[in-house]
């Protein structure tokens, strides 16, 4: 008789979205994920700018972190409102500022960060492409922590699976689903982090304007597009008329831009170390 193991209930893992409660205030793991990504990314950027040929100084890093934080929050929230759930926010516009309720879109957060970097670099006469490269190297940290927080929250679960690694998530029905949050943490977070850091520290890629940033955009788009086949589409949108999910639709321009951009990078002269 074949061995059969019942699927694991997410609730049996003992995970709690709230990290700490103090009176009426709850400190959630999702908030800590943002804080951890920002602080560790800040620390890593400070180490990176010590190398010869850096496009910015320590004082620029300190200011840039603030600009990027505002960009990711404003861009991520605005994109979620516009692309994922416009009806809810049109019915109750005050919900737009209720960030503690959740609702952030990475594609919008990325656009917000890029805009913040462009504006900051122009104001301080810095190389936009090279600063984007440096920020791209640390960005996977936020993705890694954010997707782990999604898993701890028991949200953004995957599609149905008969694999032994499937989990039964609260609110997702009685059948096991892909832990797609962990797939994204591994690919968009860990794999990108290791690859970009290896290229930065072990090769001359950091001196080629636009190379690391282009790789980030391309590979994130590819990874996100692929994982969407295992992730349950957003309930308010489902699968679009094109047969793609919203996440895949927003990833296609990233893939195309990444390919186009990397084709142009080889014609740029390297920076002087």
């Amino acid at each position: 008789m074949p061995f059969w193991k019942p699927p694991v209930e997410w609730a049996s893992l003992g995970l709690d979205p709230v990290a700490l409660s103090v009176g009426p205030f709850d400190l959630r793991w999702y908030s800590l994920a943002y804080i951890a990504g920002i602080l560790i990314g800040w620390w890593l950027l400070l180490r990176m700018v010590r190398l010869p040929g850096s496009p910015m100084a320590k004082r620029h890093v300190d200011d840039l972190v603030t600009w990027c934080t505002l960009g990711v929050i404003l861009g991520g929230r605005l994109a979620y409102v516009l692309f994922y759930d416009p009806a809810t926010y049109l019915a109750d516009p005050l919900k737009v500022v209720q960030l503690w309720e959740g609702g952030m879109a990475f594609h919008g957060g990325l656009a917000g960060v890029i805009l913040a970097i462009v504006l900051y670099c122009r104001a301080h006469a810095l190389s936009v492409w090279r600063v984007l490269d440096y920020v791209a190297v640390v960005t996977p940290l936020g993705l890694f922590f954010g997707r782990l927080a999604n898993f701890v929250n028991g949200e953004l679960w995957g599609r149905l699976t008969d694999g032994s690694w499937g989990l039964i998530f609260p609110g997702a029905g009685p059948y096991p689903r892909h832990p797609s949050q962990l797939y994204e943490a591994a690919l968009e977070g860990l794999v990108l982090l290791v690859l970009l850091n290896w290229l930065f520290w072990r090769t001359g890629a950091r001196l080629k304007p636009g190379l690391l940033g282009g790789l980030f955009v391309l590979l994130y788009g590819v990874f996100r597009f692929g994982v969407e086949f295992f992730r349950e589409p957003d309930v308010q949108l489902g699968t679009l008329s094109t047969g793609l999910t919203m996440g895949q639709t927003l990833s296609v321009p990233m893939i195309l831009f990444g390919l186009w951009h990397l084709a142009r990078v080889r014609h740029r002269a390297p920076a002087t170390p």
Side-chain angles (χ1 to χ4, degrees), residues 77-78 80-82 85-103:
R77 185 60 167 177
L78 182 60
Y80 182 83
V81 170
L82 292 177
D85 202 5
T88 296
Y89 295 97
L90 282 174
D92 188 0
L94 288 178
K95 283 184 173 292
V96 173
V97 298
Q98 296 175 3
L99 298 177
W100 56 89
E101 296 291 339

Side-chain angles (χ1 to χ4, degrees), residues 129-130 133-134 137 195-213 215 265 270-271:
W129 289 121
R130 297 207 60 221
D133 285 340
Y134 274 57
V137 172
L195 174 62
L196 293 177
N197 272 273
W198 182 82
L199 289 171
F200 182 91
W201 293 100
R202 299 296 183 183
T203 74
R206 66 184 177 86
L207 299 174
K208 194 70 172 177
L211 175 58
L212 295 172
L215 279 172
V265 163

Side-chain angles (χ1 to χ4, degrees), residues 202-243:
R202 299 296 183 183
T203 74
R206 66 184 177 86
L207 299 174
K208 194 70 172 177
L211 175 58
L212 295 172
L215 279 172
F216 172 83
V217 171
L218 171 62
L219 293 177
Y220 175 86
V222 170
F223 290 154
R224 178 65 184 269
F225 191 94
V227 171
E228 286 284 323
F229 287 112
F230 301 94
R231 175 174 161 173
E232 184 73 9
D234 297 271
V235 64
Q236 69 272 23
L237 295 176
T239 301
L240 306 181
S241 59
T242 58

Side-chain angles (χ1 to χ4, degrees), residues 85-199:
D85 202 5
T88 296
Y89 295 97
L90 282 174
D92 188 0
L94 288 178
K95 283 184 173 292
V96 173
V97 298
Q98 296 175 3
L99 298 177
W100 56 89
E101 296 291 339
M104 298 285 283
F106 171 77
H107 296 88
L110 177 63
V113 168
I114 291 174
L115 178 59
I117 291 173
V118 170
L119 294 175
Y120 182 83
C121 288
R122 288 185 175 179
H124 294 82
L126 302 177
S127 168
V128 172
W129 289 121
R130 297 207 60 221
V131 171
L132 283 170
D133 285 340
Y134 274 57
V135 174
V137 172
V138 304
T139 298
L141 281 165
L143 289 166
F144 177 71
F145 290 124
R147 293 310 181 192
L148 290 183
N150 290 146
F151 182 74
V152 172
N153 286 348
E155 62 189 3
L156 304 183
W157 50 73
R159 304 180 192 227
L160 296 174
T161 178
D162 56 3
S164 59
W165 57 86
L167 294 171
I168 299 176
F169 290 92
Y175 302 110
R177 294 179 174 272
H178 285 282
S180 55
Q181 314 96 321
L182 300 183
Y183 303 168
E184 291 188 85
L187 292 172
E188 301 164 11
L190 194 58
V191 171
L192 265 180
L193 181 67
V194 171
L195 174 62
L196 293 177
N197 272 273
W198 182 82
L199 289 171

Side-chain angles (χ1 to χ4, degrees), residues 34 38 67-77 104-105 108-110 112-113:
Y34 269 86
I38 292 168
W67 284 60
C68 289
T69 300
L70 292 174
V72 72
I73 293 174
L74 296 177
R77 185 60 167 177
M104 298 285 283
L110 177 63
V113 168

